[in-house]
Amino acid sequence: MRFDVLGPLEVVGYDDVLLSIGGPKKRAALGYLLLHANEVVATSQLVEALWPGDAPSTARKMVQNTVSDIRAMLAEHDRDDCFALLTHSPGYLLRAAEHRIDLLEFQQLARSGRQALANGSWIEASDLLGRACRLWRGDALVDLTDAGVDWPELAALREDRLTTLEDYFEAELAAGRHYDHLSELDRLVSAQPHRERACRQLMLALYRCGRQVEALDTYQRTRMVLAAKFGIEPTPELRETEQAILRQDTALAPPTRQIPPVQSRRPADPVVVAQQSDAGEPIVERKLVAILTVAFELGVADRKETDEILAELDAAVRADLSSAGALVLRSTGSSVQAVFGVPRTDEQDALTAVRTALAIRDRFAADPLRVRLVVSTAEARVKLTQTGPEVISPAFEDCLRLLWPLPPGRVWVCGETRLGTGHNVVYTHNPPSALWCAWDIRPDEPMSDDRCGQRFVDRDHELAILREHFDQVARHGRGRSAAVLGQAGMGKTRLVAEFVRTVQMRHDPVQVVATRIPHRGSMSTAEFIGELVVACCPSLSRSGSATTAEAELATGLASLVGEGNLAESLTHRLLPLLRRHERASSTEENLSRAPDALADLITAAAIRRPLILVIEDLHRAEDDLLRLFDALAEQLRSVPLLMISTARPQLFDRGHCRVPASTTMMLDRLSDEAVRTLWASVLGDADAAPTPELTERISGNPLFAVEFARQRKHDPSPARPDTLPPRVYRAIAAELDELPAAAKQILTSAAPAPDRIEPDALASALRRNVEEVRDDLDDLVRRHLLRHTTDRTGYEFTGPLVRDVAHSQLPASARPRREPDLATPDVGKCAAHRRSRRRTAEQ
């Protein structure tokens, strides 16, 4: 077992199962003992920490009972004898192994990193300090501080965390990696404007990036904060940095040779990795891709005229495909073919392909040219080379043969593509063929997915927490915020939608504003605020002429905040942020005014009626948007507003950014009974239930349960019952493609191996340093793709589907046995083979 205090207090047992700790006093006592692990804590000290200034007469007896409970928990779960809670005059001593408490591990890494920094070993210092910073999951014991705990030790820990972060930046800048940390340093200085060392580091990074005006502006902002708040001038070191920038001192120049990062914080693009590979070997993978084929029927007799028309059509179609993120592979005669999902898989590849096909159809709807389009989901062999990706699949020829007999002017898709797009596309079937005709895209409304019509199961506790937060908002008129975290498919949207539905049934005067960070491509802060304004104003249409935008906005704002000067002022300030307005832009002036205008809008709206603001998929937000939401959460604490954000856990991997939340909840897997209930509701049969093998594969994920049930409903007796539904495959494959190249290589290399992953054997097979392999394995544990074995010396996959998808991406030459090439990866055979092997061993 291990204890984690650098974030919410967690006790993790074997198999990475979170253990129940108990009530507030027991949590507080355990937290305080962990803060002083391997130190004697006097009983009086513990009493004061639990009951500051007002201890009951039975306090010492209550402490003894609490200590007894903690000892019982250690006796039950501490199999390795790494912990002991001893009675030691004048109190207690929690003896603990250093590697079993994240705080002790952090302190050891920070000490070693600072020593390496003092010795000038930049690479070693960066590695150690970076690992120390990544142990933090939020403020230390944040669940206790939210409940009112305010110990001096926690303030000291916050300071130690910031100092370690500054040490890390110091090592990174010394290694010449100033470009990599501009946004992180900017966030740190914005949040802690009085930290002069961080300010100096930001100034140096900006100067080295050729942005010396911004570097000098950073100095002036810090100088003004110090003068206004403390009445002091900057330190001589900070003033000297400013003077050095003014005279362009050569001492500020970066190292002549940049040292490559020890571990990238953000996943590297596979194409870039292939181009930078020293071995010269291209990366080869099997992938599930969406193939879009476009063909024109010209009917033009003149050869020269035909060539010119084809060239124009090819250019127009290629432009549409490229802007949608497709990889255009070939042009053959009057046809063009492209793939979605190369080099990286995206969960929305199939939907993006169909949306692009519909856009091409509409582009040529009034043209005498006859256009045919088909979208097919197929397996392809992808080779990532220095000249670009190469995609090989027999499906390209199959699509061309399929295309010409079809009626023109329509978008046709295969059954796998239809299943992969869910409820987002309007289809009609075309019997007796297996194809479906796509007609239109349903709006991508926030808090809406095709599982919202299914049974709401096994989330009553989380629903009660959100209800309690809103009741507090409505009762006390003060703002609160909540973050709902979970892996892909865990039901974040479904939970929030159910919460909003129940609140609207219970509270008549409540407003709901929901928005979602878009897939693919970035959106500026000003543009996103414009989208949020549209969400706030129901009368504001997304189409129409620019001349109607002002009138619609004024009407919408008046309904929210009332008529008067405030509505007129907000109209003037927010109008330039609307995309269709003639003055719409993301200029510096509009960007600087936008956050305050948005805060004023939400404040005025919430004062009239309690407001629920939902921001979905926050993990997709750029850094400036994260800062905006963080600032909003702080500004709006005095108004009746509940701000809910949904995100995936990898948001915490982005440096020291945090989810703006009063409370954070992580959605865990559903129970097997809940999975059976979902399965029965999709199939419309109360007695229907997945097999035990399929229940194991679903691993409590609601999306996986629904998609497997839909697959069964679509084809009750499939020829390959273990075939993965496309949406399930893409959800996992997209997460694997976000991994750093070294970590993904470890995952795919371990997939065909026995159930237990041994770091030494894996390092030997990959010809890598075993410590580096262990670091990558631990990173995969943090990403919930692997977990420690019971004895904590090995690793294993968290679920069969993760292993199956990783195995499916291996090329045939890298597999221990031959598998047939399938239109959809037959990844289930991996799990079936392992179960058969285990049954044989047991017998």
Side-chain angles (χ1 to χ4, degrees):
M1 67 186 301
R2 71 174 187 271
F3 293 92
D4 293 335
V5 300
L6 302 182
L9 176 59
E10 291 182 353
V11 182
V12 185
Y14 290 94
D15 296 327
D16 290 324
V17 175
L18 290 180
L19 304 180
S20 175
I21 302 175
K25 291 303 180 186
K26 185 176 177 182
R27 297 180 68 90
L30 178 58
Y32 196 80
L33 290 170
L34 289 169
L35 290 179
H36 295 275
N38 298 321
E39 301 175 10
V40 176
V41 177
T43 304
S44 59
Q45 185 180 351
L46 195 53
V47 168
E48 176 63 24
L50 298 181
W51 295 278
D54 188 24
S57 58
T58 59
R60 286 182 172 267
K61 181 62 176 176
M62 295 169 70
V63 166
Q64 291 174 3
N65 293 337
T66 300
V67 169
S68 178
D69 291 342
I70 295 174
R71 281 176 176 154
M73 179 176 63
L74 294 177
E76 181 180 357
H77 297 285
D78 182 24
R79 303 178 188 175
D80 299 335
D81 295 327
C82 292
F83 298 94
L85 183 49
L86 309 174
T87 300
H88 193 296
S89 181
Y92 303 99
L93 169 65
L94 178 60
R95 188 169 291 161
E98 187 175 89
H99 64 287
R100 294 300 175 88
I101 300 180
D102 59 356
L103 172 59
L104 298 182
E105 187 179 356
F106 163 77
Q107 291 171 338
Q108 175 57 40
L109 287 170
R111 283 194 298 269
S112 302
R114 290 183 183 120
Q115 185 60 52
L117 189 65
N119 296 337
S121 301
W122 314 127
I123 296 179
E124 181 184 1
S126 173
D127 178 32
L128 294 168
L129 294 167
R131 286 162 56 191
C133 293
R134 285 190 288 273
L135 288 172
W136 288 78
R137 298 168 291 112
D139 289 339
L141 299 178
V142 64
D143 52 331
L144 298 182
T145 57
D146 282 348
V149 169
D150 186 21
W151 298 327
E153 293 88 347
L154 297 178
L157 268 181
R158 285 192 290 269
E159 176 64 27
D160 197 12
R161 179 188 185 184
L162 291 173
T163 302
T164 304
L165 189 62
E166 290 173 338
D167 290 337
Y168 170 69
F169 289 141
E170 197 77 29
E172 289 285 277
L173 291 173
R177 294 196 284 271
H178 38 277
Y179 283 103
D180 297 343
H181 301 290
L182 274 177
S183 60
E184 295 170 281
L185 279 166
D186 185 41
R187 284 200 304 272
L188 177 58
V189 172
S190 298
Q192 304 284 337
H194 60 282
R195 297 191 73 89
E196 297 181 66
R197 184 185 182 195
C199 175
R200 183 185 60 78
Q201 291 171 337
L202 177 58
M203 292 170 63
L204 180 59
L206 287 168
Y207 177 77
R208 288 181 175 179
C209 292
R211 297 160 64 176
Q212 59 183 11
V213 174
E214 295 173 62
L216 295 171
D217 184 58
T218 299
Y219 171 81
Q220 291 300 331
R221 289 201 308 270
T222 299
R223 181 174 176 271
M224 291 173 62
V225 168
L226 293 174
K229 193 170 184 179
F230 304 105
I232 59 176
E233 285 293 317
T235 59
E237 291 81 6
L238 192 58
R239 294 201 300 270
E240 176 55 34
T241 301
E242 181 212 22
Q243 293 301 314
I245 291 174
L246 288 171
R247 63 176 181 267
Q248 299 187 351
D249 195 328
T250 56
L252 299 180
T256 56
R257 174 179 172 270
Q258 289 197 1
I259 303 171
V262 176
Q263 180 181 5
S264 174
R265 289 223 177 170
R266 299 251 181 142
D269 192 287
V271 176
V272 177
V273 172
Q275 291 173 345
Q276 295 177 345
S277 174
D278 294 332
E281 293 292 331
I283 297 174
V284 181
E285 296 179 329
R286 293 205 305 175
K287 283 182 172 291
L288 192 66
V289 299
I291 301 173
L292 172 55
T293 304
V294 186
F296 293 94
E297 186 177 322
L298 299 181
V300 181
D302 183 79
R303 175 62 182 271
K304 182 178 180 181
E305 185 179 353
T306 300
D307 291 343
E308 292 175 354
I309 293 175
L310 281 177
E312 293 176 2
L313 292 174
D314 184 81
V317 171
R318 282 175 175 267
D320 286 345
L321 292 170
S322 298
S323 64
L327 176 66
V328 182
L329 290 179
R330 59 181 73 182
S331 297
T332 307
S334 60
S335 65
V336 180
Q337 290 187 293
V339 293
F340 295 78
V342 177
R344 285 186 178 180
T345 302
D346 188 274
E347 294 174 54
Q348 304 246 350
D349 282 334
L351 179 60
T352 305
V354 174
R355 180 184 285 115
T356 306
L358 290 170
I360 294 174
R361 178 202 66 180
D362 295 342
R363 173 195 278 267
F364 297 102
D367 200 292
L369 301 173
R370 306 177 72 184
V371 61
R372 290 176 169 83
L373 304 105
V374 66
V375 181
S376 178
T377 296
E379 186 186 84
R381 184 175 183 269
V382 179
K383 180 188 290 186
L384 302 175
T385 68
Q386 293 185 0
T387 58
E390 298 177 2
V391 185
I392 302 171
S393 175
F396 290 111
E397 284 69 28
D398 294 341
C399 290
L400 286 172
R401 285 193 297 269
L402 181 69
L403 190 68
W404 287 110
L406 297 173
R410 300 179 186 179
V411 175
W412 302 93
V413 306
C414 67
E416 287 83 358
T417 302
R418 173 182 168 266
L419 287 175
T421 53
H423 79 307
N424 299 96
V425 183
V426 179
Y427 289 110
T428 57
H429 196 206
N430 184 42
S433 77
L435 297 179
W436 294 73
C437 183
W439 292 104
D440 199 6
I441 300 289
R442 291 188 174 94
D444 183 21
E445 297 292 341
M447 294 192 303
S448 172
D449 67 16
D450 49 355
R451 284 174 287 146
C452 287
Q454 307 299 334
R455 288 279 301 275
F456 182 76
V457 294
D458 212 19
R459 295 283 187 246
D460 294 331
H461 175 67
E462 292 83 358
L463 183 62
I465 292 175
L466 292 179
R467 285 174 176 168
E468 176 61 25
H469 273 284
F470 183 76
D471 289 344
Q472 292 288 330
V473 167
R475 187 180 304 119
H476 300 294
R478 293 186 59 81
R480 298 179 70 87
S481 51
V484 182
L485 305 183
Q487 298 292 334
M490 275 298 177
K492 302 180 290 293
T493 294
R494 182 72 180 89
L495 170 64
V496 176
E498 182 68 16
F499 160 70
V500 168
R501 186 186 70 81
T502 57
V503 167
Q504 289 176 326
M505 291 175 60
R506 295 167 56 208
H507 298 264
D508 289 333
V510 60
Q511 305 172 85
V512 179
V513 175
T515 188
R516 175 178 288 164
I517 308 295
H519 261 280
R520 288 193 181 275
S522 60
M523 178 181 285
S524 71
T525 301
E527 290 171 334
F528 184 78
I529 291 177
E531 292 297 306
L532 194 55
V533 171
V534 173
C536 288
C537 303
S539 63
L540 189 59
S541 63
R542 295 180 181 273
S543 58
S545 64
T547 56
T548 62
E550 185 169 2
E552 291 178 355
L553 180 61
T555 302
L557 292 176
S559 67
L560 273 177
V561 304
E563 297 182 355
N565 295 334
L566 178 59
E568 294 178 6
S569 172
L570 288 174
T571 301
H572 177 73
R573 293 154 66 192
L574 294 172
L575 186 62
L577 302 175
L578 300 183
R579 284 184 168 184
R580 62 189 175 95
H581 188 257
E582 58 189 1
R583 302 199 317 269
S585 66
S586 57
T587 62
E588 290 297 326
E589 180 184 3
N590 289 332
L591 188 61
S592 62
R593 297 166 56 190
D596 290 337
L598 180 63
D600 290 347
L601 168 63
I602 295 176
T603 298
I607 288 175
R608 288 172 64 92
R609 286 185 298 170
L611 176 66
I612 300 173
L613 174 61
V614 181
I615 302 166
E616 290 198 80
D617 297 326
L618 192 61
H619 57 277
R620 299 179 190 156
E622 296 297 325
D623 291 343
D624 58 344
L625 274 180
L626 287 177
R627 287 195 296 272
L628 169 67
F629 297 142
D630 197 19
L632 275 178
E634 292 295 329
Q635 285 181 264
L636 302 176
R637 290 187 182 276
S638 59
V639 297
L641 165 76
L642 175 59
M643 179 174 167
I644 304 175
S645 57
T646 68
R648 295 191 187 165
Q650 55 262 38
L651 178 62
F652 286 113
D653 294 335
R654 292 168 57 175
H656 59 279
C657 76
R658 62 189 180 92
V659 178
S662 304
T663 188
T664 301
M665 63 181 75
M666 179 77 73
L667 297 189
D668 200 359
R669 55 173 290 167
L670 299 181
S671 66
D672 290 350
E673 180 61 33
V675 169
R676 286 191 289 272
T677 302
L678 264 184
W679 181 275
S681 72
V682 173
L683 294 179
D685 181 358
D687 297 326
T691 64
E693 291 81 7
L694 187 53
T695 301
E696 179 189 355
R697 299 182 73 201
I698 289 171
S699 299
N701 187 299
L703 171 67
F704 298 173
V706 169
E707 288 303 311
F708 272 108
R710 283 177 178 161
Q711 184 187 59
R712 182 65 53 85
K713 186 175 183 178
H714 179 68
D715 189 358
S717 56
R720 300 190 305 272
D722 285 331
T723 298
L724 234 61
R727 292 181 72 187
V728 174
Y729 174 89
R730 285 197 174 96
I732 299 173
E735 190 170 1
L736 300 191
D737 281 355
E738 288 292 322
L739 294 172
K744 184 175 182 182
Q745 182 192 32
I746 284 179
L747 208 64
T748 54
S749 299
D755 291 338
R756 181 186 176 93
I757 303 170
E758 296 291 353
D760 292 344
L762 191 58
S764 176
L766 296 175
R767 298 180 181 178
R768 290 183 55 192
N769 179 278
V770 67
E771 291 304 319
E772 293 180 356
V773 169
R774 285 184 185 276
D775 287 343
D776 285 334
L777 288 168
D778 289 337
D779 183 45
L780 292 170
V781 171
R782 286 191 291 270
R783 295 172 184 266
H784 304 280
L785 297 172
L786 297 179
R787 64 187 172 212
H788 290 286
T789 54
T790 304
D791 59 6
R792 308 289 294 181
T793 61
Y795 301 81
E796 59 188 9
F797 283 86
T798 52
L801 292 184
V802 175
R803 181 172 194 162
D804 292 345
V805 172
H807 186 273
S808 75
Q809 294 189 344
L810 286 171
S813 59
R815 299 177 178 220
R817 55 189 175 86
R818 178 69 181 174
E819 288 194 7
D821 292 329
L822 304 173
T824 305
D826 195 4
V827 294
K829 289 187 176 181
C830 264
H833 176 73
R834 291 196 304 275
R835 287 192 296 270
S836 174
R837 190 175 66 239
R838 282 200 297 268
R839 284 195 295 267
T840 302
E842 291 169 358
Q843 293 171 358

